[in-house]
Amino acid sequence: MIKVEKLVKTFGAKRAVNDISFTVERGEVLGFLGPNGAGKSTTMRVLTGFLPPTSGRVTVGGFDVTENPVAAKRLLGYLPESAPAYTDMTVWGFLNFIAEIRGLRGDDKKKAVHRALEMCFLESVVHQSIETLSKGFRHRTCFAQSILHDPEILVLDEPTDGLDPNQKHEVRTIIREMGKKKAIIFSTHILEEVDAVCSRAIIIDRGQIVANGTPSELRQKSTAAGAVLLRVQGTASAAVVNTLSQLPLAAKALSLAESNGTASVRVLPKSGTAHGALTAAVAEAARLSGWKVEELHTEEGRLDEVFRSITLPDTAKDKQK
Amino acid sequence: MNASLSHIKTITKRELAAYFTSPVAYVFIVIFLLLSGFFTFMIGGFFERGEASLRDSFFLWHPWFYLFLVPAVGMRLWSEERRLGTMELLLTLPITPWQAILGKFLASWIFLAIALGLSFPVWMTVNYLGSPDNGVIFAGYVGSLMLAGAYLALTCITSALTRNQVVSFILSVVLCLLLIFAGWPPVTNFIIRVLPGTSGMVDFVSAFSVMTHFDGFQRGVLDSRDVIFFLSVIGFSLFTTGVVIRNLRS
Ligand SMILES: Nc1ncnc2c1ncn2[C@@H]1O[C@H](COP(=O)(O)OP(=O)(O)OP(=O)(O)O)[C@@H](O)[C@H]1O
Ligand SMILES: [Mg+2]
């Protein structure tokens, strides 16, 4: 439903978005990750038609956003990064204004506004002026605005920013639920959100996509992914390390701790090893050596580690310049 | 077309409501009415003139009142939108920028028309005291509204140029002043002195003066050329506002 092809956006000499292509289909929730200044918001501003692309093409529901902006925007709900809203209006007035612009009238309008108020827990502040709302409530008001017309496509720029933990949870639930029938793209700096709601995630860095895949695919990129942790009772850790480092699939075996006759050893796989293959090999080795195994498990990669290993080296290089 | 009118209407309604939810609107109207009364009756010498007309006592001052009052009304139109970040919201709604520009302009124009309309006691006074030509007065009101519209459209440009309302106010006062001065006798005399024998030049410059065209209305003449002049200033300024907004985004 969203199709971005070779998108480039420059501000003067600066390339904020540099040749990005991706698609989001109905039923998908795409998480958009990347360090500050990576170009996430800029990409979203282009695909919602706020900024014209420097080059490349963006289509939303089949409509080109530069050639047919109104038709494209009709399908979209958009929560901008700063969650702007007209401060002189009440929450009620603001949502009614948006509903009218969205072409809703009479009963439809009333129903849509009530539904949005309920979904975003805004009933308690309906008649309060937006100027006097707390940050979280203001953010929710703008979020309510984006889902008001039950759009097929949602673009949410940091939708959980500034919300309390309960509200974060609620918003994630809403996104996950809506993601079953809609195409959603949202940006975040909170990596747990990726696991909690995304069916796919893209990491961008300095305007370019550096990773694109499901959360578990991304986790596999971690050096720790597929590593095996083994705890053995009654065998010296040096002997365990010695045996395991000779396994064909193992890159390295490390002794983590040894106390009261219990040895903990971590085995890292060679790159390209299938997930879980090393664990099977370790289990087999333990059986052959007759070790008393207390614990054996395969480590999942950690997203924050993947994020850092993909985006940090270059950022650090930049700093040195 | 229908959808586009309804978008314009929705935006106009919102903007107009925004004026009246803040006390600024009422302050503005009171100031406008006090100034009108003061200048008409005290400085314009309405009673001493003994004329049943509003031309030299009431309408005479409008180009100068409006010079400050209209930019004060219009300065927030786009600069506030930029300051709050709501421009990103507004322009990603399924409307065209033109609908937003026109809707906002109309809201402020209607607001100015309301303020002008509330000066009706002046009109009642002149009718009570004498028997003026109400056709001329009507033309005067139309001219005054046209003038306000032209100033307002210029203010739209300056308010799109900056997120600071004060800067927007000052810039628009300067722009409006240029439009006044183009036909002001000291300026036209100056042109004649510097470029003697070029009456064409004087005509050309004063063709851009709001004063020349405003005066047409005050003489009671609804000349299509004057109407077209003001409408062109409005059209041109709104177009320029559109260009400014488009450039902001790229
Ligand atoms: N209007 C603009 N004019 C000039 N440069 C801009 C403009 N908007 C964004 N940029 C630059 O483009 C780059 C990408 O910015 P963007 O806001 O897209 O980052 P982001 O990924 O959303 O970051 P964050 O996580 O901090 O929200 C930044 O270097 C920013 O300075
Ligand atoms: Mg951002």
Side-chain angles (χ1 to χ4, degrees), chain A residues 34-83:
Chain A
N36 293 133
K40 302 180 294 293
S41 301
T42 306
T43 307
M44 292 185 159
R45 288 189 181 122
V46 174
L47 65 90
T48 51
F50 179 62
L51 296 177
T54 306
S55 74
R57 217 168 98 93
V58 178
T59 55
V60 168
F63 298 107
D64 190 307
V65 289
T66 28
E67 277 155 26
N68 207 341
V70 175
K73 290 182 210 168
R74 211 170 277 143
L75 300 174
L76 277 173
Y78 176 39
L79 170 66
E81 184 168 37
S82 56

Side-chain angles (χ1 to χ4, degrees), chain A residues 45 50-51 73 78 86, chain B residues 13-14 81 88 91 249:
Chain A
R45 288 189 181 122
F50 179 62
L51 296 177
K73 290 182 210 168
Y78 176 39
Y86 291 106
Chain B
K13 218 168 67 181
R14 197 211 81 75
E81 203 87 38
E88 188 170 351
L91 297 179
R249 298 203 274 158

Side-chain angles (χ1 to χ4, degrees), chain B residues 30-46:
Chain B
V30 167
I31 289 178
F32 174 74
L33 295 178
L34 285 178
L35 276 180
S36 294
F38 180 72
F39 274 80
T40 306
F41 297 114
M42 311 305 270
I43 299 185
F46 175 77

Side-chain angles (χ1 to χ4, degrees), chain A residues 11 14-17 34-43 45 51 81 157-158 189 204, chain B residues 248:
Chain A
F11 295 106
K14 182 168 179 64
R15 282 191 164 223
V17 176
N36 293 133
K40 302 180 294 293
S41 301
T42 306
T43 307
R45 288 189 181 122
L51 296 177
E81 184 168 37
D157 203 345
E158 301 192 21
H189 288 299
I204 69 171
Chain B
L248 278 183

